[in-house]
Amino acid sequence: MRRCGRSIFSRSELTVWVDGSACRLDALLKRAMVAGEIIRIRRGLYMLAPAYQRAIPNPLALAQHVYGPSYIGLESALSFHGLIPEAVYSVASVSLYRSRTFDTPAGRFDFVRVPQSCFFAGVERLELSGGNEAFLISSPLKALADLVYVRGWTESPQALLDSLRIEGELKDLISMSSVDELSGNYASRRVQRFWSRFEGRLHHDSRDGSAAVEFVRL
């Protein structure tokens, strides 16, 4: 198993690394799990046991392997961007397919489906550990929009930030270009109302001489 060269791998990847039949591969996997060399995360996905890991896998990167296509979102994205004070004890992601939850030896992973016109609008790819690990994560604004849909919130944009204990004003978080990218991305009336009130707030701030500054990665 040390030939894998990384901590997380799938059964299909092992078929390339290990010679022999499918039965031989399954037997090798079973022996390695019994010996405590590898850990089964879910069907077809495995992780090297801590004693064999070169580095502890990042939970955000692991989530991309657990279920996809998906991106880190909701409270997990807001926590990563440093916008909410609470620790997030499970990794929350938005999935292109149906919602699912995985309780694994590596932690809990929640995936929620959010219907969108362009699934990856407002999503960026980040690399960790010198490029050995990577994951997709939503911008703060997209995380808020997804939360409006998932949690059924109807508060005003500023009240939403207050309920999440996000410090700062809306204009300090997002630029108008980010709003333009995402404003037509959701068919949900609840999210559309959020966008309408959000854009109205930004235009109001602009007339007051406090226009939103250019968004930078937090």
Side-chain angles (χ1 to χ4, degrees):
M1 290 300 167
R2 296 180 183 181
R3 293 175 57 192
C4 297
R6 63 180 188 177
S7 297
I8 305 166
F9 52 91
S10 67
R11 186 185 183 282
S12 61
E13 289 173 320
L14 284 178
T15 60
V16 178
W17 302 332
V18 178
D19 296 330
S21 66
C23 290
R24 178 174 182 270
L25 176 58
D26 290 337
L28 287 173
L29 286 170
K30 184 175 181 179
R31 285 201 297 269
M33 285 188 287
V34 171
E37 296 174 344
I38 66 173
I39 300 168
R40 182 180 182 272
I41 301 300
R42 62 155 176 79
R43 183 177 180 181
L45 183 65
Y46 304 88
M47 179 175 69
L48 290 177
Y52 300 94
Q53 294 174 3
R54 295 178 181 176
I56 299 174
N58 185 285
L60 304 185
L62 178 56
Q64 308 286 275
H65 297 276
V66 172
Y67 192 55
S70 62
Y71 58 81
I72 305 300
L74 309 172
E75 290 92 347
S76 291
L78 294 176
S79 177
F80 177 85
H81 290 299
L83 297 179
I84 57 176
E86 293 87 357
V88 178
Y89 297 102
S90 65
V91 178
S93 299
V94 174
S95 169
L96 184 62
Y97 301 124
R98 67 184 181 91
S99 301
R100 294 194 63 180
T101 294
F102 296 84
D103 287 305
T104 79
R108 180 186 175 97
F109 299 90
D110 296 310
F111 298 86
V112 182
R113 181 178 181 271
V114 178
Q116 305 171 52
S117 298
C118 181
F119 184 72
F120 292 112
V123 173
E124 63 178 336
R125 183 179 184 273
L126 299 182
E127 291 187 353
L128 299 173
S129 305
N132 293 326
E133 291 185 299
F135 58 90
L136 301 173
I137 188 167
S138 66
S139 67
L141 177 55
K142 188 178 180 75
L144 289 176
D146 289 340
L147 277 169
V148 169
Y149 178 86
V150 172
R151 310 301 183 208
W153 284 338
T154 58
E155 296 97 330
S156 68
Q158 189 60 54
L160 177 58
L161 296 189
D162 293 340
S163 68
L164 290 168
R165 297 172 63 189
I166 294 178
E167 298 180 357
E169 298 289 332
L170 294 172
K171 64 183 178 62
D172 298 324
L173 301 179
I174 323 105
S175 70
M176 286 299 296
S177 62
S178 300
V179 176
D180 292 340
E181 180 184 14
L182 296 171
S183 60
N185 198 43
Y186 299 83
S188 165
R189 292 183 179 180
R190 182 167 57 247
V191 179
Q192 288 177 356
R193 285 194 298 270
F194 169 80
W195 285 126
S196 178
R197 299 165 78 179
F198 187 92
E199 290 175 312
R201 172 65 182 274
L202 286 180
H203 285 303
H204 179 270
D205 288 346
S206 179
R207 289 195 300 270
D208 287 346
S210 55
V213 298
E214 182 180 358
F215 174 75
V216 296
R217 185 181 305 173
L218 300 176

